[in-house]
Amino acid sequence: MAKTKICIVGSGNWGSAIAKIVGANVTKHSDKFEDKVTMYVYEEMVNGKKLTEIINEQHENVKYLPGHKLPATIVAVPDVVEAAKDADILIFVVPHQFIPGLCAAMLGKIKPSAVGLSLIKGFAQGEGTKIKLISKIVEEQLKIPCSVLMGANLANEVAEEHFCETTIGCKDKIMGAIMKDCMQTPNFRVTVVEDTEAVEVCGALKNIVACAAGFVDGLALGDNTKAAVIRLGLMEMVRYVDQFHGGSKISTFFESCGVADLITTCYGGRNRKVSEAFVKTGKTIKELENEMLNGQKLQGPATAEEVNGMLKGCNSEDKFPLFTAVHRICTQQLKPQDLIDQIRNHPEHACQHFCHPLNCFLSTV
């Protein structure tokens, strides 16, 4: 059998952490994978030298993942078409805003038999107020199937090889096993499920909840309030999936992509950190993104805006008061201090039997 060739589309903090894993696994499973992994790198100058040259010579992404050596199997390429043209698996790990442009550049220039794997936690804007899953954008624009990987995976901790779990959503069992082989390590444990849409939606929505958790931290409201915000956020995630992506399984929310990712993001993620600073400094989200993230992009506020447009379009804002409040706070329509007032009479508190979103799932079991 021909060996599988992998391309990583993206080279930020998370992309470089994944490159460290994939680069080692292609050597470990040399009977299954080509030993050269191309990594598309947006070219930029670092200390007067091209970032691709630094990565290929020093085997380290000194800007986005300093202090971690990448395997020699990882080859940085500044042209996405050149990087992707021979790949069998395309691992997408760039800010979601860049996916349409990258797909347009790659269309017709990749293997027709290639498959995608999206690690991108966000949504794309669809027609009008509708939003689309990133995996669907990839599928529609590149004409290939696209699976997803989401989990409680803070990039620096993954790079440090601390134990954690992740979830791959893949409808093809054979391809799911191949993707697991290229990702799993003793300290990065992979579960494969078929519930692809719920896996991906959880990865996007948890960033909205993390913003709310950051507001709570900035206001010094304590752990009880933060726990309540996380729980209510999880309920809105469940309700959202049921309303817009029916047919998902409640068990998916108990995988790493669900409750575990939600917890870790609400305590350690960039959305939480920037949202806390937003409260304490009075600066705008954009100013803080530029100051704190070293060129990385913040996903929570953008996702909240996209989700709010969709909720408003179908008159559902009142069903998702936490998501709605986060959007209004990020856009300075409300003050962070208004958060608790917005969720104090949450529908979750109003009716525990008929309105509880878990009943939508459990009634079908």
Side-chain angles (χ1 to χ4, degrees), residues 36 38 64-65 70 110 120 137 169 178 182 184 210 254 294 296 299 307 354-355:
K36 175 184 174 182
T38 54
Y64 296 113
L65 195 67
L70 300 177
I110 61 173
I120 301 168
I137 296 289
I178 294 172
C182 82
Q184 180 158 272
F254 295 92
N294 190 34
Q296 298 285 305
Q299 300 295 331
V307 167
F354 295 106
C355 298

Side-chain angles (χ1 to χ4, degrees), residues 25-92:
N25 276 348
V26 296
T27 299
K28 178 181 178 181
H29 299 291
S30 59
D31 58 324
K32 299 178 182 179
F33 298 104
E34 291 283 351
D35 62 2
K36 175 184 174 182
V37 177
T38 54
M39 179 170 70
Y40 165 63
V41 176
Y42 177 77
E43 193 69 279
E44 53 188 310
M45 302 301 291
V46 178
N47 298 324
K49 193 169 185 178
K50 293 179 179 179
L51 183 56
T52 53
E53 293 179 359
I54 295 173
I55 293 173
N56 290 333
E57 292 172 7
Q58 300 180 21
H59 304 295
E60 180 182 353
N61 189 334
V62 296
K63 180 167 185 179
Y64 296 113
L65 195 67
H68 293 278
K69 287 295 182 181
L70 300 177
T73 50
I74 300 296
V75 178
V77 180
D79 184 320
V80 69
V81 173
E82 183 65 25
K85 65 181 182 180
D86 297 323
D88 300 294
I89 298 177
L90 296 163
I91 299 174
F92 294 93

Side-chain angles (χ1 to χ4, degrees), residues 51 102 152 160 257:
L51 183 56
L102 289 171
E160 292 284 353
C257 63

Side-chain angles (χ1 to χ4, degrees), residues 177-292:
I178 294 172
M179 291 177 172
K180 182 174 181 175
D181 281 341
C182 82
M183 289 291 179
Q184 180 158 272
T185 75
N187 287 322
F188 191 70
R189 308 306 294 176
V190 178
T191 299
V192 181
V193 301
E194 295 183 14
D195 199 1
T196 306
E197 290 191 2
V199 172
E200 184 168 5
V201 172
C202 283
L205 295 182
K206 56 92 182 181
N207 285 327
I208 304 177
V209 186
C211 289
F215 299 150
V216 169
D217 288 341
L219 294 166
L221 295 178
D223 288 336
N224 289 345
T225 302
K226 189 170 180 177
V229 163
I230 293 172
R231 190 188 77 84
L232 292 171
L234 177 60
M235 291 297 98
E236 290 194 15
M237 289 167 61
V238 173
R239 189 184 299 277
Y240 184 96
V241 170
D242 178 65
Q243 181 167 336
F244 298 109
H245 302 277
S248 294
K249 299 177 181 177
I250 189 61
S251 59
T252 302
F253 292 89
F254 295 92
E255 298 289 351
S256 183
C257 63
V259 64
D261 195 11
L262 178 63
I263 291 170
T264 196
T265 306
C266 287
Y267 278 90
R270 70 182 71 155
N271 291 282
R272 188 215 64 80
K273 293 176 183 176
V274 171
S275 296
E276 179 181 12
F278 176 76
V279 175
K280 291 182 174 179
T281 67
K283 296 180 179 179
T284 66
I285 293 291
K286 184 62 177 176
E287 288 173 332
L288 292 167
E289 181 182 63
N290 292 336
E291 290 179 12
M292 299 175 64

